[in-house]
Amino acid sequence: MTPALEIRGVRFGYGDLTAVWDVSLTVPRETTVALVGRNGAGKTTLLSGVAGLLRCQSGSVLLEGDDISKLPAHTRARRGLSFVQEGKRILRELTVRENLVLGTFGRPASRKDAKALIDQMCTRFPPLAEKLEQPAGALSGGQQQMLAIAQALVNRPSLLLLDEPASGLAPVVVDEVLALVSELKREGLAILIVSEGGEELLSGVADEVAVIDQGHLVLTAAAHEVTAEDITAAMGIGPDSGTVPVAR
Ligand SMILES: Nc1ncnc2c1ncn2[C@@H]1O[C@H](COP(=O)(O)OP(=O)(O)OP(=O)(O)O)[C@@H](O)[C@H]1O
């Protein structure tokens, strides 16, 4: 079956700086792939490039078999790619409802369909339903992350890119976010989730793991076939480095 996402030998960077070198990675349908790596390894750059926020210096990106490498970000969104950027990219001054409505603009929906999609999110995320007419900035950190994910879901994606969705959240909220990721996977979504640590592995959310270091993909494996030590070693984190290792 054609994979949800196929990344073939891509390079992405900023001006003269190349931050991701010749990376190839596949995300099969209904599969969650965790992309892990140290600070500055190139995780966000790779996701931003796949989403179309950075120009492809070389290589190609295929969404459900179609080459989207040259398409602008908004067209990729319309094709079913949703990107939740790190740091809760919601509009704090707008209400929760308005943020959700914005999410429906990626793939044009009739007013009736857009309303149905927002109703679905209210059922899925009761705390958002309760605060639908309040400014998004009034939500807790965890609820803002839920809103960011809900905003991505109303785009009816076939591929969801999640950049460190658990970052800065209380442990109980991290568990909620990871439970949601598992649920979305069960519902058939393909997910590429970035993590600096190993939360996704810990909770068994990821089916596959890809490790990136200094812009190079250094390990890809089925999650059940690698140990925490394999991953830590691939990340270039030694036992004496002082960096918290990936836990399992
Ligand atoms: N806007 C930018 N302009 C120039 N260089 C950048 C920019 N963003 C990132 N970089 C550089 O690109 C490299 C990869 O950064 P990137 O943010 O992709 O890493 P990361 O693995 O996501 O790290 P983190 O976990 O800290 O977010 C780093 O050397 C970083 O300094």
Side-chain angles (χ1 to χ4, degrees):
M1 202 196 285
T2 318
L5 174 71
E6 210 180 334
I7 302 171
R8 292 184 183 162
V10 292
R11 284 189 192 186
F12 295 118
Y14 308 90
D16 291 339
L17 173 87
T18 298
V20 164
W21 294 87
D22 306 322
V23 165
S24 296
L25 179 67
T26 297
V27 181
R29 290 170 197 240
E30 301 182 25
T31 300
T32 296
V33 177
L35 178 66
V36 299
R38 293 185 283 180
N39 260 344
K43 306 178 297 293
T44 298
T45 303
L46 182 60
L47 255 58
S48 302
V50 169
L53 302 178
L54 296 171
R55 192 180 61 81
C56 209
Q57 294 174 349
S58 70
S60 53
V61 178
L62 280 73
L63 185 69
E64 296 187 313
D66 293 332
D67 191 339
I68 58 165
S69 317
K70 295 199 165 52
L71 300 180
H74 64 89
T75 310
R76 297 185 197 200
R78 192 173 304 156
R79 296 259 187 124
L81 185 156
S82 286
F83 181 23
V84 180
Q85 290 176 274
E86 190 183 357
K88 308 167 204 91
R89 293 296 187 93
I90 51 160
L91 295 170
R92 297 170 55 86
E93 292 75 25
L94 296 187
T95 65
V96 171
R97 183 196 297 279
E98 287 164 341
N99 270 281
L100 290 172
V101 169
L102 277 181
T104 65
F105 290 171
R107 267 188 178 189
S110 69
R111 198 175 275 225
K112 191 169 151 226
D113 289 347
K115 187 180 174 309
L117 284 163
I118 292 170
D119 288 347
Q120 275 172 27
M121 291 307 135
C122 289
T123 308
R124 172 161 238 158
F125 304 107
L128 298 186
E130 281 168 25
K131 297 184 176 167
L132 209 52
E133 310 307 337
Q134 293 185 27
L139 299 176
S140 70
Q143 290 168 347
Q144 290 187 24
Q145 184 60 283
M146 290 299 176
L147 177 57
I149 295 174
Q151 200 179 45
L153 293 178
V154 292
N155 187 45
R156 293 157 287 159
S158 56
L159 175 72
L160 184 62
L161 307 179
L162 291 172
D163 194 356
E164 305 221 20
S167 121
L169 300 179
V172 59
V173 187
V174 171
D175 289 347
E176 274 177 40
V177 170
L178 296 179
L180 171 64
V181 173
S182 290
E183 202 176 296
L184 294 173
K185 181 178 69 172
R186 279 197 300 276
E187 289 171 15
L189 205 51
I191 301 169
L192 180 56
I193 180 169
V194 156
S195 165
E196 215 170 278
E199 304 91 347
E200 294 75 23
L201 305 174
L202 247 180
S203 63
V205 170
D207 303 295
E208 296 176 18
V209 184
V211 181
I212 187 167
D213 192 43
Q214 297 181 44
H216 298 270
L217 206 64
V218 290
L219 176 80
T220 50
H224 67 272
E225 282 175 354
V226 280
T227 63
E229 290 71 31
D230 296 335
I231 295 167
T232 335
M235 282 167 74
I237 300 174
D240 303 323
S241 66
T243 312
V244 179
V246 176
R248 256 195 134 187

